[in-house]
Amino acid sequence: MQETPTYFLLDIKDKTAYITVNRPDKLNALNTLVLKELAEILATLKANDDVRGIILTGAGDKAFVAGADIKEFQEFSSDDAWQLSKSGQEEVMDELYTFPKPVIAAINGFALGGGLELAMACHIRVASEQAKMGLPEVSLGIIPGYGGTQRLPQLVGRGKALEMIMTGDMIDAQDALRWGLVNHIVRPEELIATCEKLLEKMYLRSQTAIAAAIRVVNIGLMQPEKGYEEEMDAFADAFDTPDFKEGVAAFLEKRKPNF
């Protein structure tokens, strides 16, 4: 990874990595280079044992990520588009979705198109009251390409997902909460602090158990026929971990565990 990110601000404080998409003049829009750099950042943070969680947000007060950089699409062939979708899904969205440490999207404004897909790939979404979300791709004659047609129905159900995708309309934070698209709505000035409080609770729990839970939940969603068996295996494997021994000892000794 570059020592100084071009399109991102990266700050590591205590156990938390703060990733900020830093293109406020472009409403933090995604393009090929932005996605490539984000993939590099995620790979570095995954390998950093000092980092136990991530908060992902956008620079400024207008946008989380207001979609893709449409100008880049003008010269694309269908082969170019397929490769963009493949690399975006596999190197960024899937990496976020399966990341073994908690990732929270702090949605501070517009989360549209690829921006909403980016937020949906995170484990948890916290939105400011002013946030707006949508998948407007059909207005351009295309469909979501970074997993949006798959992850949105998982979160809000088939009917609501198709309504959002086929109309291309934005929804506000209140509807997003009501539909299950976001976990919490807070005032803009409380956005990052709320994400931090959620992570602080998770840091008191077993890191290995959290990683296992993320993996098994994802398997159950993507391969339902394997979910229960994977849960049994992961449950059993946990009994061989130091965290299990510490957790049980702390419980019996009536003290807080030292994970």
Side-chain angles (χ1 to χ4, degrees), residues 50-70:
D50 293 330
V51 172
R52 289 193 58 182
I54 294 174
I55 296 173
L56 176 61
T57 194
D61 57 5
K62 292 183 179 180
F64 172 72
V65 172
D69 197 335
I70 304 303

Side-chain angles (χ1 to χ4, degrees), residues 81-250:
W82 186 88
Q83 187 57 53
L84 178 69
S85 179
K86 183 178 188 296
S87 60
Q89 285 194 31
E90 294 180 354
E91 297 173 15
V92 177
M93 306 303 171
D94 290 351
E95 278 297 309
L96 280 170
Y97 195 72
T98 60
F99 208 76
K101 308 171 187 183
V103 183
I104 301 179
I107 305 174
N108 55 309
F110 291 110
L112 305 175
L116 182 54
E117 290 173 298
L118 186 66
M120 289 192 292
C122 297
H123 302 133
I124 293 171
R125 285 152 295 284
V126 179
S128 77
E129 295 170 334
Q130 65 192 25
K132 303 280 188 181
M133 285 153 264
L135 295 174
E137 285 87 350
V138 294
S139 302
L140 299 173
I142 58 175
I143 67 169
Y146 294 141
T149 64
Q150 305 305 300
R151 293 198 174 106
L152 187 60
Q154 291 176 354
L155 291 167
V156 305
R158 179 175 181 268
K160 288 296 187 182
L162 283 171
E163 179 181 339
M164 285 184 66
I165 292 168
M166 293 192 295
T167 64
D169 287 345
M170 290 188 294
I171 62 171
D172 61 22
Q174 286 71 31
D175 277 341
L177 181 65
R178 188 159 46 246
W179 292 7
L181 184 51
V182 301
N183 298 65
H184 304 277
I185 301 175
V186 296
R187 291 182 296 182
E189 62 271 20
E190 298 172 348
L191 182 60
I192 299 300
T194 300
C195 296
E196 290 171 337
K197 287 177 183 177
L198 285 168
L199 286 179
E200 285 165 8
K201 289 182 181 180
M202 297 172 195
Y203 296 160
L204 297 175
R205 318 306 180 197
S206 163
Q207 188 173 7
T208 57
I210 285 174
I214 291 169
R215 184 178 62 81
V216 173
V217 166
N218 287 346
I219 289 171
L221 288 170
M222 295 184 287
Q223 298 173 285
E225 72 283 359
K226 294 184 177 181
Y228 289 102
E229 184 176 352
E230 289 289 340
E231 181 184 280
M232 288 186 284
D233 290 343
F235 175 74
D237 289 344
F239 279 68
D240 293 329
T241 65
D243 277 3
F244 167 74
K245 294 176 176 60
E246 167 62 14
V248 171

